[in-house]
Amino acid sequence: MKTLKLIALGLFLFVSSLTQAQVSVRVTFGTPPAWGPAGYSNVQYYYLPDIEAYYDIRASQFIYISNGRWIRSRYLPRQYRNYDLYGGYKVVLNDYRGARPYTYFRNHRTKYYKGYKGSPQRTIGKRNDNRGNNNKNSRNNRR
């Protein structure tokens, strides 16, 4: 019986060595918004210095402070309903993975102050009108 087990084990190892297992791992990020900066892949967050908020590409949500708490929403808060997402500067956070980019908010706010402009950016998509505010996120953010 012991011999049969050894033979079965040997046969199993032989067959498994002949087959090649192919494992493919693909990390899929959400689709960046049309107003996002062109030329970046595998990025999860943008920091928007003018409004001191983040945008989570994977979840398609803005992250901002409201009453001392970080809120996630598909829309910007009421006070920023007319903010031009196409024209505003977006800081691409290449060095952060996780669920709480605001952990480094103090550093981001200091380094990328309101009005910060880094190198010129080109957006992924085009504006839908001449005003620059006719996009999914600014048109529907009247909450």
Side-chain angles (χ1 to χ4, degrees):
M1 191 62 148
K2 188 174 182 181
T3 307
L4 269 173
K5 286 182 184 179
L6 287 174
I7 291 172
L9 178 63
L11 186 60
F12 174 75
L13 291 174
F14 176 74
V15 170
S16 64
S17 69
L18 292 177
T19 62
Q20 292 181 352
Q22 188 174 25
V23 177
S24 177
V25 177
R26 182 176 178 181
V27 177
T28 305
F29 285 89
T31 303
W35 50 264
Y40 298 95
S41 60
N42 295 330
V43 173
Q44 186 174 353
Y45 297 104
Y46 302 141
Y47 176 64
L48 310 170
D50 294 338
I51 58 175
E52 296 183 337
Y54 296 89
Y55 183 74
D56 183 339
I57 298 167
R58 189 180 303 168
S60 299
Q61 293 179 329
F62 291 95
I63 307 169
Y64 55 87
I65 294 177
S66 179
N67 296 322
R69 294 181 51 222
W70 286 97
I71 305 295
R72 287 180 167 267
S73 174
R74 292 184 76 60
Y75 309 105
L76 285 171
R78 179 177 293 279
Q79 68 266 29
Y80 297 117
R81 78 172 133 226
N82 292 321
Y83 179 70
D84 181 9
L85 291 167
Y86 282 88
Y89 194 80
K90 282 76 65 178
V91 175
V92 177
L93 300 179
N94 289 317
D95 58 350
Y96 181 78
R97 299 287 184 257
R100 297 182 190 141
Y102 48 84
T103 301
Y104 301 103
F105 177 64
R106 286 184 182 181
N107 293 343
H108 293 150
R109 185 171 58 181
T110 301
K111 187 173 182 180
Y112 311 112
Y113 49 88
K114 286 186 179 187
Y116 175 84
K117 299 289 184 208
S119 58
Q121 291 179 329
R122 191 174 42 96
T123 58
I124 295 168
K126 303 278 186 216
R127 298 176 198 256
N128 291 335
D129 70 359
N130 293 332
R131 293 177 307 154
N133 292 325
N134 188 16
N135 64 60
K136 177 182 97 171
N137 296 306
S138 64
R139 180 177 56 232
N140 296 322
N141 64 2
R142 290 168 174 49
R143 290 188 175 183

